[in-house]
Amino acid sequence: MVAHYAIHNEAYWKIVLHALKYPHLAVNGLLVGSLHKEGGDKITIVDAVPVAHGQVTLGMVMEAALLQTEAAFQDKNLRIVGYYHANERQGDRELPQLAKKLGDKLGTYFSPTCVLLVDNMKLTPPGDHVALRLYTTDARNQWRLGEETSLSMADPNPLGMLKDHVAEHRYHQLHDFEDHLEDVTRDWLNRDVFT
């Protein structure tokens, strides 16, 4: 059975703003949410945690971010449910090996898991289209592009409000975990970006 994913506005906005903050670099992050089993698997993505920009790897920064993210959301009964990635080249719509490997690793802890690939071609002008491509694993554990109906927005008007956030340059206020390691005063959970 195919799982259905619903993403809340703030999670979507963080992903897009992270990609817009570093338009010439690859960026990645973690998806946080919950699983609901009634009537089939439904995963609700309630938050996104930007992890890195530039040299995106499976190294120590990602390991530390995984541990810190699990700890930060544990009290809210939320967990890591997936990963997001934006390629550095605008026309690159292929899921890179790194994203597949990290998705595989996350799949050992949470199933079903997903990878959201930012479709950089849909970022300009920002807010005209949902700029995400959903990838899930098939029966042979191969990553495949999901059906468009498998991903929906959980809240109303995500695109109109995203345009406002971009016009206000909110991406300058967004920090990833890598930024936090350089300056611990930067909030890598981005709790106040939209207030």
Side-chain angles (χ1 to χ4, degrees), residues 108-121:
T108 63
Y109 300 104
F110 182 83
S111 180
T113 192
C114 72
V115 174
L116 295 179
L117 180 67
V118 176
D119 187 342
N120 293 331
M121 296 297 286

Side-chain angles (χ1 to χ4, degrees), residues 63-135:
E63 289 292 330
L66 284 165
L67 292 170
Q68 292 295 318
T69 301
E70 279 287 319
F73 289 95
Q74 190 172 18
D75 292 345
K76 298 176 183 171
N77 290 325
L78 298 172
R79 59 179 306 144
I80 297 169
V81 297
Y83 168 80
Y84 74 85
H85 185 93
N87 291 318
E88 64 186 3
R89 290 179 304 283
Q90 187 175 19
D92 188 353
R93 298 177 79 197
E94 294 297 318
L95 188 65
Q97 277 303 118
L98 171 78
K100 293 175 185 177
K101 286 182 182 178
L102 190 54
D104 290 341
K105 179 176 179 156
L106 293 175
T108 63
Y109 300 104
F110 182 83
S111 180
T113 192
C114 72
V115 174
L116 295 179
L117 180 67
V118 176
D119 187 342
N120 293 331
M121 296 297 286
K122 292 183 178 178
L123 289 180
T124 50
D128 282 350
H129 306 283
V130 174
L132 297 175
R133 296 166 53 101
L134 172 71
Y135 285 84

Side-chain angles (χ1 to χ4, degrees), residues 28 52 55-62 98 102:
N28 70 0
Q55 200 66 352
V56 176
T57 69
L58 292 175
M60 291 178 11
V61 171
M62 180 56 75
L98 171 78
L102 190 54

Side-chain angles (χ1 to χ4, degrees), residues 132-143:
L132 297 175
R133 296 166 53 101
L134 172 71
Y135 285 84
T136 57
T137 54
D138 61 18
R140 297 179 299 140
N141 286 328
Q142 300 295 312
W143 288 98

